[in-house]
Amino acid sequence: MKICFLLHNAYGIGGTITTTFNLAQALAERHEVEIVSVLRHRERPNFALDPRVSLRPLVDLRHDKEHPLRLRPARVFPEAEYRYPQYSELTDRRIGEWLAATDADAVIGTRPGLNVHLALQAPRRVARIGQEHLTLDNHPARLRTTMRRAYRGLDVLTTVTEADAAAYRRKMRLPGVRVEALPNSVPDAALPAADGDAKVVIAAGRLVPVKRYDLLVDAFSLVAAEHPDWQLRIYGKGEEHARLRHLIHRLDLCDNALLMGAAAPMEAEWVKGSIGVAASSFEPFGMTIVEAMRCGLPVVSTDCPHGPREIIEDGVDGRLVPVGDRDALGGALLELVRDDERRRRMGAAAVRNAARFAPVPVVEQAERLIEEATAARRTGRRPVASDHGGLQRALVHHTYAARDAAHAAARAALRTVRRGQR
C-alpha cells in the first residue's frame, strides 16, 4: 500500500513534523511511504529521515519566491487558518495538481487547511484521512465553519486525544466520517533510562507564551531556595528567550535556571535529568511529556486541556497541578526533589506506562485505520467510528454516488462562505 502525508513544511521544526516523521518511518517497515511538503525553504530537513521514506516539496521558496502566482491569495486553503498568509494561488495549484496525479492509496493531511484541500480535491479512489494536531476549540469560529462543511469529504479524522475526538463527534456533525483518537508516538529509547540521581529538572519546547516558562522559572525559585544544588534546564528557542533570561537574572537564578537552546533529538538530554516538567496553559497532546516519561522521568505538569491528563496518572508516574498555579507547581516539584525513593519509583512507572505511546501500538492502530479506509473506498462504503470512541467498529453503507452529491453541496456551501468573507 502507498501512503502519503501532506505536510505544511517538512524543513522546519515542530511537533507535527516530528510526529509525522515518526509515523512515516514506522509505516515504511511495511508500506511505500512519501511525505509531501507544501513548502521548502532549505536544503535538508532538520530531522533525519529514514531513506525508505521519500520526501517531495511542492513549492521551493528558494526558487519560487518571486513566482507571480505567489502574489495572488489562496482560494482553497481557508482564510481563517493560522498559516493562510503563507499560502497562495501557487500553493493551491501545486497541491491540486499533486492530488490529481497521486498514485497513493491513502493521503493523510496534517493540519486543517490541508485537510480541506484533501477533502475537496482528492480523487475518489484515494482514502482521505485528516489529522488534527491542535484541538477543535483552539480553532477560530470561521475556521470551524469551513471545516464542518469541507470535512464531510474525509473518510477518517484523527485527533491526538480522546477528549478532542469526543468534541468533534459532539460538535461538528460529520455524518459518515470516522472520528477516532490516535495519539502521537515516540520512538523506543536508544539510551538507558535515567536513574533518578541527577539533581536536574528538564523542560523542552518552543519558548512561546502558551508554554508558560515564566511561571516555571518562578515556581522553580521555590526549589532553588530549599535545594540550591538542583538545576532547571530549559531546551528550546523562541520569542520568549530574552524575557526569560531577564526573569532568571531578576530572581537571582543564574546558577540554577539555564536556557540551553534547541536540541534535536532530545533523548540524550532527558536522560541527564531526574524530573520532567511542563507548565503550559494549553497542550493539545504533550509530546515532550511522553518523551520524558519514555526516558525514565516522572513529569510534573499543569492539568491543561487536553493532553497531560490522558498521559500522566497523577501520583503514579507524575503529578498534575492546576493551570497557572505557581505554588502548586513548585510544591509538586519539591515533593519529588525531597523524596529520592518516590522519584525513582515514579520514574520506573513512567517508563512502563508510556510504553503505550511506543511506535508499535500506535502504528498498529494507524495501519488498521488506513487499511479499513482504503478497503472501504474500494468497496464503495465509508468507515465511521461508533459513539464509543472507536471501541466498536461499523460501516455506514453510503454509496459513493450519494456521498459525492453531498460533497458537491459542501463545495458550493464553502464557496458561499468564502464570498461572505471577502
Side-chain angles (χ1 to χ4, degrees):
M1 177 165 61
K2 182 170 182 179
I3 303 165
C4 291
F5 291 83
L6 184 58
L7 190 62
H8 168 65
N9 189 340
Y11 299 82
I13 294 176
T16 300
I17 300 168
T18 303
T19 57
T20 298
F21 277 37
N22 288 346
L23 182 55
Q25 290 171 153
L27 288 168
E29 294 280 348
R30 287 164 40 87
H31 305 282
E32 181 183 354
V33 181
E34 179 179 48
I35 294 175
V36 176
S37 179
V38 176
L39 301 178
R40 177 184 188 177
H41 67 285
R42 64 200 307 267
E43 181 64 26
R44 293 181 180 85
N46 286 289
F47 304 106
L49 187 63
D50 190 308
R52 293 174 297 181
V53 178
S54 60
L55 177 60
R56 176 201 303 217
L58 299 181
V59 175
D60 191 330
L61 297 176
R62 298 171 303 169
H63 311 301
D64 292 326
K65 194 170 184 179
E66 304 302 323
H67 195 291
L69 293 183
R70 284 201 71 231
L71 302 177
R72 301 178 186 175
R75 293 181 177 272
V76 180
F77 195 92
E79 188 176 353
E81 225 265 37
Y82 169 69
R83 293 290 187 181
Y84 181 77
Q86 294 176 260
Y87 284 74
S88 63
E89 188 173 324
L90 179 61
T91 57
D92 276 0
R93 180 173 296 184
R94 297 273 174 90
I95 295 170
E97 289 172 349
W98 171 74
L99 283 170
T102 185
D103 60 349
D105 298 290
V107 176
I108 302 173
T110 55
R111 62 178 308 113
L114 299 181
N115 294 339
V116 169
H117 270 281
L118 179 59
L120 297 180
Q121 296 180 314
R124 286 180 57 183
R125 57 183 167 75
V126 174
R128 309 162 183 194
I129 301 169
Q131 288 183 341
E132 176 58 79
H133 289 275
L134 290 177
T135 67
L136 177 61
D137 292 339
N138 188 242
H139 297 310
R142 277 178 34 188
L143 180 57
R144 292 197 298 270
T145 298
T146 300
M147 291 160 60
R148 185 176 293 113
R149 297 179 187 279
Y151 276 21
R152 295 176 184 182
L154 297 175
D155 298 305
V156 177
L157 177 66
T158 68
T159 63
V160 291
T161 64
E162 181 53 47
D164 199 38
Y168 269 93
R169 297 185 198 110
R170 186 175 66 254
K171 298 178 180 181
M172 290 295 279
R173 300 185 298 281
L174 299 173
V177 180
R178 181 177 187 164
V179 180
E180 192 161 325
L182 178 69
N184 294 328
S185 71
V186 172
D188 295 324
L191 300 173
D195 59 16
D197 289 336
K199 296 180 178 182
V200 177
V201 177
I202 295 181
R206 293 174 299 123
L207 305 185
V208 292
V210 72
K211 300 295 185 180
R212 291 306 312 270
Y213 288 114
D214 57 335
L215 177 73
L216 173 55
V217 170
D218 196 10
F220 188 76
S221 67
L222 302 177
V223 177
E226 185 176 314
H227 297 272
D229 52 343
W230 275 73
Q231 276 190 348
L232 168 65
R233 299 179 185 174
I234 299 174
Y235 291 85
K237 60 183 181 179
E239 63 194 70
E240 290 281 281
H241 186 276
R243 193 165 80 93
L244 291 171
R245 185 175 56 192
H246 176 73
L247 177 61
I248 288 168
H249 278 274
R250 183 166 61 80
L251 295 176
D252 196 22
L253 292 174
C254 295
D255 294 331
N256 299 94
L258 307 176
L259 299 176
M260 306 294 292
M266 265 295 295
E267 182 183 351
E269 308 308 320
W270 288 120
V271 298
K272 295 174 185 175
S274 290
I275 303 169
V277 63
S280 302
S281 56
F282 170 76
E283 198 68 72
F285 178 64
M287 193 70 170
T288 59
I289 296 174
V290 178
E291 289 177 354
M293 292 173 67
R294 297 217 71 199
C295 289
L297 276 63
V299 177
V300 176
S301 173
T302 49
D303 188 15
C304 62
H306 286 293
R309 72 190 66 167
E310 294 193 17
I311 301 170
I312 296 170
E313 186 176 354
D314 190 27
V316 175
D317 50 25
R319 289 296 322 279
L320 294 170
V321 300
V323 175
D325 191 328
R326 172 253 198 188
D327 292 338
L329 183 60
L333 288 170
L334 276 169
E335 287 178 21
L336 299 186
V337 167
R338 291 168 180 158
D339 192 335
D340 294 348
E341 179 55 33
R342 187 182 186 202
R343 187 171 67 245
R344 295 189 187 99
R345 185 173 65 250
M346 292 176 74
V351 173
R352 292 193 303 272
N353 294 348
R356 68 192 190 276
F357 300 108
V360 170
V362 174
V363 170
E364 286 178 349
Q365 184 187 357
E367 201 169 29
R368 172 179 51 77
L369 285 170
I370 296 166
E371 288 175 347
E372 291 177 3
T374 55
R377 275 274 157 186
R378 287 193 298 270
T379 59
R381 302 177 186 274
R382 303 189 67 201
V384 62
S386 71
D387 291 334
H388 299 290
L391 294 178
Q392 300 175 355
R393 311 295 170 202
L395 286 175
V396 173
H397 301 288
H398 293 311
T399 66
Y400 274 104
R403 177 240 134 123
D404 288 340
H407 194 191
R411 286 175 182 265
L414 189 59
R415 287 194 294 271
T416 301
V417 170
R418 288 206 189 93
R419 283 197 295 270
Q421 291 172 349
R422 293 193 187 107

